Amino acid sequence: MILLLVLTIFKAETLNREYNLIPFLFLFDFTNVNFIIGLLNIGANTLIFVPLGFLLYIWKKNIFFAAQFCLYTSLLIEVVQFITRRGYFDIDDIILNTVGGLLGIFICRLYIK
């Protein structure tokens, strides 16, 4: 959890409060995003929440709780980044983080069986 905070909130301040509310906009706008950077963004935003989903499922044994916790944690991080100007509020990050949490839950379920 500490690593999650360090990687998402404790970074350089941006000048403006910026946001993206259109899901997967960067996937369709190849003029502004390098393909490799786009893949790294998808991978990082997904993989960073896999351990959280895994651990939450071990703790509570409840898929809905673990998935909801990942969703709300991601939303909280994005809102804090927006308010403090420490990042860019992006709906894609929330979606990918939640998918990462779900991936962690399903890996845990496979591991436990």
Side-chain angles (χ1 to χ4, degrees):
M1 197 66 165
I2 293 171
L3 178 62
L4 190 62
L5 290 173
V6 169
L7 291 174
T8 58
I9 296 181
F10 300 116
K11 54 186 178 179
E13 184 174 341
T14 59
L15 297 175
N16 299 318
R17 288 191 173 101
E18 298 179 21
Y19 59 91
N20 169 36
L21 301 177
I22 303 169
F24 302 111
L25 176 66
F26 74 91
L27 289 178
F28 304 109
D29 188 6
F30 291 107
T31 58
N32 292 328
V33 177
N34 181 319
F35 181 73
I36 300 298
I37 292 172
L39 285 179
L40 288 173
N41 182 40
I42 291 169
N45 277 309
T46 302
L47 293 177
I48 198 168
F49 268 70
V50 169
L52 183 62
F54 189 93
L55 294 173
L56 284 168
Y57 187 75
I58 287 175
W59 178 43
K60 287 287 190 176
K61 302 279 190 283
N62 184 321
I63 294 173
F64 184 71
F65 171 82
Q68 199 172 22
F69 192 94
C70 289
L71 171 70
Y72 292 143
T73 301
S74 180
L75 180 62
L76 177 66
I77 289 168
E78 292 298 314
V79 168
V80 169
Q81 283 180 343
F82 182 76
I83 291 171
T84 63
R85 296 183 185 169
R86 298 284 179 189
Y88 181 80
F89 183 96
D90 194 350
I91 192 70
D92 298 339
D93 291 351
I94 296 170
I95 293 167
L96 293 169
N97 293 161
T98 304
V99 167
L102 289 169
L103 185 60
I105 292 165
F106 292 118
I107 290 171
C108 185
R109 289 191 58 166
L110 290 173
Y111 179 74
I112 289 176
K113 286 184 179 182

